[in-house]
Amino acid sequence: MEETTTSGYATAFPRVLRRFALFAIAFSVVSITTGIFVNYAYGLTTLGPAAVWLWPVAAVGQILVVLVLAELAGHMPLAGANYQWSARLVGTRFGYAVGSLGVLYGAVGLPGIALIGLAPLTATVLGLDATDTTLLLVIAVLAIVLAYLVNIIRVQWAARVNNLAVFAEIVGTVVLSVVVLALWAHGHASTPDGGHGLGFLTTTNPGTPLADGIVGGALIGIFTLVGFEAAADMAEEAVDARRTVPRAMIAAAVISGVLGLVALIGFTVAIPDLAAVEASPVPLAAIAGYWLGPVLTKVFLVIVVFSMFALLVVAAASNSRLLFAMARDGLLPASTAMARVHPRTATPVTALVVSLIVCLLLLGYGTLDGQAFTVLVGATALVPYLAYLLTLGGYLARRRRLRTDGGSGFELGRAALPVATLALVWLVVVVAALSLPDAFRAADYVVLGGIALAGLWYVAVLRRRLRDGTAGLPDTTPTTTVVEAG
């Protein structure tokens, strides 16, 4: 049985996503396979093998964050999660600021994964030229369009892709790392490094200042362990959302943290030649290739490609639900059209199409100026943490506003204040690490530019809409409880 929230909205989606599907959504958008594969080189070349021990630091910090967000999801299981939570705790204008960061994050992050991660790997698997920018653009466009088509047709199709991705993530990262580690244990004495023990995991790069190395090493986990609230973005399509969504978010964060550490230790201990692996553009592929040979390594790359595609699918769903949620409250251009759900497919088709067009435009811009795209993608590391920081700040300031009339499937109780405070401290540290160093200065300007665009829309149009009541949250006076089969 499913009890709807007293949110002031008419039911827009059928509730078809059950517990495992919600977990798969959160787990796939975190995607330890994608995150470790893309970011491992940075940590290895800055701090060295010791970077693996900063992964659990990031995992613990993000678990603190997810615990707070899970409580919010239990109270307010609504599409466009961070926007809705912030708006209902603090106010529509504050929610608009948080939601705008989410729109920026989705618009750049999805094409970034497609062009920088999925496209060159797909070309490599197919034996094509992975340096051909035109070819990479074609692959990225096809992957993005396909990911959005899956979502347009029916949300259950997207759920099936992500259900498979759970097993692909585990096999392609954790199982592979264990196999590689076992092969290393059997034949490590014959490696170019002459074999090394677990003490190798404490090795640091002497050429990098320790402070810079720590930041660089931590980025493996910081870049990867985000997005678990995607399950909450799909809350209006979830069965028993108040209970299943918070548990899916927590499970995804904890399991990703544990399995990611196992994978990092396995791959790092199995490094056959540190200098060669550090010089490789794809260190994990170099490690796997040494121990498994070309055929099994290609199988590994296929699994990674599928994991990245699954991430595109769930990111497309999450992006469109945020646009839908903000449009439903009249906060965006073309709000009336984007707030519609197609009666046959039960998906927000217009929001999906708008999100697709924005992604393709940014993809084209990034391809014309590769350096600009690298900067844009770098900005997406900072944006989600800013959104988390604002949401956590709103939670601490206005937690007593949490409504209890509909019940909640997850409560922190007396642990709420210490957990939220520690999570806020963690987020302040991460935001500082991602914005203060000179290496991230260009990305800072991109974020400021995105905020400026959101501010321009607010001043030019949205402020008037909010003032005359044509935009903003609906009346949330409790209504008759609706019960539907689950």
Side-chain angles (χ1 to χ4, degrees):
M1 304 296 285
E2 171 64 21
E3 189 177 273
T4 63
T5 61
T6 55
S7 60
Y9 300 120
T11 300
F13 300 97
R15 295 191 178 273
V16 295
L17 299 176
R18 297 183 181 274
R19 184 178 303 172
F20 184 79
L22 292 166
F23 165 75
I25 287 169
F27 189 71
S28 295
V29 80
V30 173
S31 187
I32 55 174
T33 299
T34 302
I36 293 176
F37 197 90
V38 172
N39 300 309
Y40 182 70
Y42 193 77
L44 188 65
T45 54
T46 52
L47 183 60
V52 301
W53 300 119
L54 293 173
W55 174 277
V57 175
V60 170
Q62 288 302 88
I63 288 170
L64 291 171
V65 174
V66 79
L67 287 173
V68 178
L69 300 188
E71 182 174 39
L72 290 171
H75 281 277
M76 295 174 279
L78 295 167
N82 278 304
Y83 154 67
Q84 287 283 359
W85 301 334
S86 302
R88 289 168 186 272
L89 284 172
V90 180
T92 301
R93 290 171 176 79
F94 186 75
Y96 170 73
V98 174
S100 298
L101 289 172
V103 172
L104 175 62
Y105 176 56
V108 180
L110 189 152
I113 291 295
L115 186 63
I116 295 176
L118 184 145
L121 283 179
T122 301
T124 300
V125 168
L126 297 176
L128 304 174
D129 182 5
T131 64
D132 186 336
T133 55
T134 301
L135 173 65
L136 297 184
L137 176 62
V138 170
I139 294 173
V141 168
L142 290 175
I144 292 174
V145 170
L146 182 57
Y148 274 91
L149 282 176
V150 168
N151 278 282
I152 288 173
I153 294 171
R154 197 165 292 276
V155 70
Q156 289 97 321
W157 282 36
R160 287 169 188 157
V161 170
N162 287 293
N163 290 350
L164 290 174
V166 171
F167 302 101
E169 294 273 350
I170 294 172
V171 171
T173 303
V174 181
V175 173
L176 178 67
S177 69
V178 172
V179 170
V180 166
L181 182 61
L183 292 172
W184 169 85
H186 178 71
H188 64 85
S190 61
T191 62
D193 277 352
H196 47 71
L198 292 177
F200 181 64
L201 295 177
T202 63
T203 305
T204 58
N205 187 343
T208 304
L210 184 59
D212 293 342
I214 289 174
V215 172
L219 290 181
I220 303 175
I222 288 172
F223 282 172
T224 303
L225 297 171
V226 293
F228 33 70
E229 73 277 11
D233 285 323
M234 311 296 291
E236 292 182 39
E237 294 151 87
V239 175
D240 194 14
R242 291 184 185 275
R243 284 176 283 273
T244 55
V245 170
R247 285 159 176 73
M249 293 166 61
I250 295 169
V254 172
I255 293 173
S256 295
V258 172
L259 296 185
L261 181 60
V262 171
L264 283 171
I265 290 174
F267 281 120
T268 304
V269 171
I271 289 176
D273 183 345
L274 181 58
V277 169
E278 285 182 334
S280 171
V282 189
L284 293 189
I287 297 168
Y290 183 89
W291 296 109
L292 302 177
V295 175
L296 289 179
T297 299
K298 181 167 286 191
V299 172
F300 163 57
L301 294 180
V302 169
I303 294 173
V304 174
V305 167
F306 177 75
S307 296
M308 290 185 179
F309 176 71
L311 171 55
L312 298 187
V313 170
V314 72
S318 180
N319 291 352
S320 66
R321 270 53 175 191
L322 175 58
L323 291 176
F324 164 83
M326 296 180 71
R328 181 168 56 181
D329 292 339
L331 302 184
L332 301 176
S335 283
T336 301
M338 285 197 288
R340 295 193 186 107
V341 174
H342 194 281
R344 182 173 61 82
T345 65
T347 57
V349 174
T350 304
L352 282 161
V353 171
V354 169
S355 180
L356 171 61
I357 291 171
V358 171
C359 286
L360 292 179
L361 289 174
L362 285 172
L363 185 66
Y365 169 66
T367 305
L368 292 173
D369 185 348
Q371 183 60 37
F373 199 83
T374 301
V375 172
L376 287 172
V377 173
T380 63
L382 174 61
V383 171
Y385 285 95
L386 285 174
Y388 293 151
L389 181 63
L390 291 176
T391 303
L392 264 287
Y395 173 89
L396 282 168
R398 304 290 179 88
R399 182 174 178 270
R400 292 183 179 180
R401 285 192 176 188
L402 288 177
R403 304 179 68 92
T404 59
D405 49 274
S408 176
F410 181 77
E411 294 276 2
L412 286 172
R414 293 182 178 179
L417 184 59
V419 168
T421 302
L422 289 172
L424 191 71
V425 171
W426 159 251
L427 292 173
V428 169
V429 171
V430 172
V431 168
L434 292 175
S435 58
L436 296 181
D438 291 340
F440 299 115
R441 196 56 45 81
D444 294 343
Y445 295 143
V446 171
V447 176
L448 291 174
I451 293 173
L453 286 175
L456 182 63
W457 169 253
Y458 172 80
V459 171
V461 178
L462 184 56
R463 181 173 55 178
R464 174 180 50 79
R465 289 186 181 180
L466 292 171
R467 187 172 56 245
D468 63 23
T470 57
L473 294 174
D475 180 14
T476 56
T477 301
T479 57
T480 304
T481 298
V482 178
V483 178
E484 59 181 278

